[in-house]
Amino acid sequence: MLMGIAIALFILVSVFLILLILIQKGRGGGLASAFGGAGGNTAFGSKTGDVLTWATSIVFGIFLLLSVTLNLLARSQTADQSAEAPGVVTPQVPPPDGTTPAVPVESGAEFLGGGTPPDQPTRATTQPQ
């Protein structure tokens, strides 16, 4: 639940930051002048550059805090999932050519097929592709 809210807020802040950067006037006039704005005329007054720079810094700080928070939430969620299932064993898939995969045999260990282990451990045959 918290992760979903944080992701939605992160996307919202990201889009807002992109739009905020795009409306700023750059060296070549930027996207702000592409919509018919003149160099000196601004909709918000002559101090628009200062206000937009300040707002961009604040939104970027929020963006960084949200990204760190999402990283920590993802790590804690992953740690919780791995702690819930400590005995999970990855199954071994037999090779496609039908041979028996090699099974490491320790001395005195019971063979997986039942009974005692063979004298020579079996090796899986691989064919070059």
Side-chain angles (χ1 to χ4, degrees):
M1 176 72 177
L2 183 62
M3 185 75 151
I5 293 171
I7 289 174
L9 190 60
F10 185 72
I11 292 172
L12 184 72
V13 168
S14 299
V15 169
F16 184 67
L17 184 63
I18 290 169
L19 294 175
L20 191 60
I21 290 171
L22 285 176
I23 65 170
Q24 292 186 18
K25 181 181 176 185
R27 290 185 195 167
L31 192 58
S33 64
F35 293 115
N41 292 336
T42 57
F44 303 110
S46 61
K47 297 286 185 182
T48 305
D50 295 337
V51 173
L52 289 177
T53 303
W54 176 79
T56 304
S57 300
I58 298 296
V59 174
F60 181 67
I62 294 170
F63 176 83
L64 283 178
L65 287 175
L66 279 173
S67 62
V68 170
T69 302
L70 277 171
N71 186 14
L72 293 175
L73 283 173
R75 282 186 183 206
S76 68
Q77 193 175 33
T78 304
D80 291 344
Q81 288 175 355
S82 64
E84 289 176 0
V88 173
V89 177
T90 306
Q92 292 184 353
V93 178
D97 58 357
T99 60
T100 306
V103 178
V105 180
E106 296 178 15
S107 61
E110 185 176 329
F111 185 60
L112 292 176
T116 58
D119 292 336
Q120 298 292 328
T122 58
R123 294 183 182 236
T125 58
T126 58
Q127 298 174 353
Q129 297 180 353

